[in-house]
Amino acid sequence: MSQLSRGEILGRLASRESLRGVNLIRADLSDIALPGADLAGSNLRMADLSRGDLRDVRLTGSHLSGATLSQANLVGANLVEASMIGVTLKGADLSRADMSGADLTGANLDEAKLAGAYLVGAYLNEASFGGADLSGAYIRMAQLTGSNLSTAQLDGADLSQANLSGVRLDGAMLVGANLTGANLVGSYMAGCDLRGANLSGADLTGCNLTGAKLSGIRFEGVTLHDAWAEWVDLSEDGSGSTRASLEEAFAEIMGKPMAQILLEGHVADEVWAELISHLSEFQMAHPGYSDVRLRGIQQGFSASVLYLEADNEISIAAYLAEMADIIGKGSLELFEKLGAKVPVNGAGGYQEAGMPVATLQDGSAAICIADAVVSTQAAPATIDREGGSSLHPGRMERSRPASARLETLQRTYFWQCEKAFAILTGDRRVWFEATSNDQLTLRPPHGIITGIDLIRGHFIPSTGSPQPAYPVPQVTREE
């Protein structure tokens, strides 16, 4: 079909002739008025429709790749399954427009108005929505990988099951948005406003949530592996008056039980190597507790943290009990707390898992770990430092093996440094805690400036100068 001129298009429109399937490649249709026109299936590639009046126009299945529609009025337009790759819609008004199933890969929609628009199942990969208004938009199951939604308005938008991996959402407004089941892996969400949003089942793996406003969110089943934030805002008004850690914001769903072993000062590489080797040997020797695994290491100058994860708290407790043989300072406190924590008749579970179980003189069960025996009674256990062959109620006995590992660790600062241990349940409640110094506390509340902040991984000396428990850094946006 030959290409129509601007006059012919207007003439057909005036005579109510069909404009379906017309060929308008590279046509200059800027400022044209075609309200309500039926251009379904038309070829408008590379055409210029800037500032055009295209209200309620029908462009179903049309080809608009590379076209320019900046500042165009497309309110209520039908663009279902249109091909719009690389289209320019900067500042266009697409309120209530239907672009379901359309391909807008690489499109420029900066500052566009898309309030109440339908983008269900649309392809929006690498598209830019900087400063766009998508309030109340329907973006279910859409593909937005690598898109830019920085400072966009998405209040009340439906983004359920959408793929938002690698998306920029810094400064975006998502108040009351529906993100159920959304894929947000690796997205940059610093400073975004998620107050009242539904994040149930969403995957936030690797997300940066620094400064995000999270008051009133729903997050049942959310995934937060490797997600991080220097701080988040839990204030109802989003003013930043209530700042907390990411762990506190998602305190109920942070995952599997975890142990956090806090070590004062900088830990040498040789120490980490020995600790990791010890864990590997434990997993092989006790297959019933092979669910204990290394989650991560945080190295610092004032403090370092070893993170362990397992399917059950008792598995981590079993490993910490064996680890007490190689930690130096803090072993006594750890053994005493573990001896009190293991429930009465709890040794059976250890025995089934392959952990040796002994019988004390009073007939009670005890867990044999390395060269020590931990009583399963509720009374705190103690260590008999004199040695001997007999076991007594509520008492543990251990020898001092001259292993290469012990010799290596005893030569390091690690052997004498202050230590703190905690096992947190899957919902991040404290299941077990012990410290090498009674003056240390594991998790001080906000405003307390002494003790150990285990969640953040900092030793805070009691003689330190007053400072907030959670320092408030400035949010820096990635370019």
Side-chain angles (χ1 to χ4, degrees):
M1 179 185 290
S2 61
Q3 185 164 321
L4 297 178
S5 66
R6 185 186 185 98
E8 289 173 327
I9 292 171
L10 294 174
R12 283 197 181 187
L13 185 64
S15 61
R16 298 185 178 181
E17 291 184 45
S18 174
L19 290 169
R20 282 176 168 253
V22 295
N23 182 9
L24 297 166
I25 295 176
R26 298 182 182 276
D28 182 0
L29 302 171
S30 55
D31 300 298
I32 198 168
L34 297 171
D38 187 354
L39 290 157
S42 297
N43 190 345
L44 288 153
R45 292 187 180 94
M46 309 300 290
D48 186 357
L49 290 151
S50 301
R51 302 174 302 280
D53 183 358
L54 301 168
R55 288 170 296 166
D56 299 312
V57 71
R58 185 178 179 83
L59 287 160
T60 309
S62 60
H63 302 278
L64 285 153
S65 297
T68 300
L69 293 102
S70 299
Q71 308 297 325
N73 185 347
L74 287 150
V75 174
N78 186 335
L79 290 150
V80 174
E81 296 185 356
S83 177
M84 305 171 73
I85 298 171
V87 70
T88 300
L89 286 157
K90 187 173 182 178
D93 191 346
L94 290 146
S95 302
R96 303 190 310 281
D98 192 347
M99 291 176 279
S100 299
D103 189 349
L104 288 102
T105 301
N108 184 347
L109 292 111
D110 290 344
E111 301 176 1
K113 298 176 183 178
L114 294 134
Y118 289 84
L119 290 154
V120 179
Y123 296 90
L124 304 164
N125 301 319
E126 305 295 334
S128 181
F129 293 87
D133 183 0
L134 291 133
S135 302
Y138 300 89
I139 318 175
R140 297 189 303 272
M141 299 178 287
Q143 300 293 319
L144 292 115
T145 301
S147 294
N148 175 27
L149 287 157
S150 178
T151 70
Q153 299 286 324
L154 289 149
D155 294 346
D158 184 355
L159 290 150
S160 57
Q161 308 300 324
N163 186 350
L164 292 150
S165 57
V167 169
R168 284 195 59 172
L169 282 161
D170 47 307
M173 300 293 291
L174 289 140
V175 176
N178 182 1
L179 289 153
T180 304
N183 178 0
L184 288 149
V185 173
S187 293
Y188 183 60
M189 305 176 72
C192 68
D193 193 341
L194 287 157
R195 286 175 296 160
N198 188 346
L199 291 162
S200 300
D203 190 346
L204 276 70
T205 298
C207 285
N208 180 353
L209 287 155
T210 297
K213 298 173 175 58
L214 302 177
S215 174
I217 59 172
R218 292 180 56 188
F219 48 83
E220 297 85 354
V222 70
T223 301
L224 288 163
H225 296 312
D226 298 320
W228 67 281
E230 294 176 351
W231 60 276
V232 294
D233 180 5
L234 297 181
S235 59
E236 293 184 7
D237 59 359
S239 63
S241 59
T242 305
R243 301 193 179 195
S245 67
L246 186 64
E247 287 83 355
E248 288 174 304
F250 292 96
E252 299 176 10
I253 46 80
M254 284 301 288
K256 295 183 177 181
M258 176 182 289
Q260 296 174 308
I261 304 166
L262 188 62
L263 309 169
E264 183 180 28
H266 182 85
V267 177
D269 291 343
E270 60 183 314
V271 173
W272 290 128
E274 292 292 350
L275 296 180
I276 294 170
S277 176
H278 182 268
L279 174 60
S280 298
E281 292 173 6
F282 173 83
Q283 291 170 328
M284 290 187 290
H286 306 292
Y289 298 118
S290 59
D291 57 313
V292 181
R293 53 195 171 274
L294 178 67
R295 176 67 186 273
I297 292 172
Q298 178 180 334
Q299 182 74 289
F301 290 101
S302 61
S304 300
V305 190
L306 177 71
Y307 295 96
L308 301 172
E309 189 177 73
D311 295 330
N312 303 289
E313 295 88 349
I314 203 70
S315 297
I316 300 176
Y319 176 65
L320 289 185
E322 183 152 314
M323 187 183 183
D325 280 328
I326 63 165
I327 64 171
K329 188 172 185 178
S331 61
L332 174 61
E333 291 79 12
L334 181 58
F335 263 126
E336 288 180 341
K337 289 293 184 71
L338 284 169
K341 183 65 181 178
V342 177
V344 177
N345 301 323
Y350 283 90
Q351 192 170 33
E352 292 170 5
M355 187 67 75
V357 175
T359 303
L360 300 177
Q361 289 184 348
D362 66 348
S364 62
I367 304 162
C368 300
I369 302 162
D371 299 295
V373 177
V374 182
S375 171
T376 62
Q377 299 300 319
T382 59
I383 295 179
D384 181 1
R385 293 185 179 275
E386 300 299 323
S389 59
S390 62
L391 294 174
H392 302 283
R395 175 173 291 185
M396 298 180 298
E397 183 184 57
R398 56 185 292 186
S399 64
R400 304 179 68 151
S403 67
R405 174 170 293 124
L406 281 177
E407 292 176 358
T408 298
L409 294 175
Q410 286 170 351
R411 291 194 300 267
T412 66
Y413 165 76
F414 162 82
W415 194 255
Q416 292 298 327
C417 75
E418 299 287 357
K419 302 177 180 73
F421 308 87
I423 300 176
L424 306 180
T425 62
D427 61 4
R428 290 307 177 256
R429 298 179 184 275
V430 176
W431 186 80
F432 168 85
E433 58 183 309
T435 68
S436 62
N437 188 325
D438 290 339
Q439 301 301 313
L440 303 177
T441 57
L442 284 175
R443 296 176 61 190
H446 290 296
I448 301 300
I449 61 173
T450 61
I452 303 173
D453 176 356
L454 188 63
I455 295 296
R456 295 280 294 176
H458 296 298
F459 267 79
I460 307 172
S462 58
T463 57
S465 58
Q467 57 182 325
Y470 292 92
V472 181
Q474 297 296 317
V475 177
T476 55
R477 294 180 178 176
E478 296 179 351
E479 295 299 331

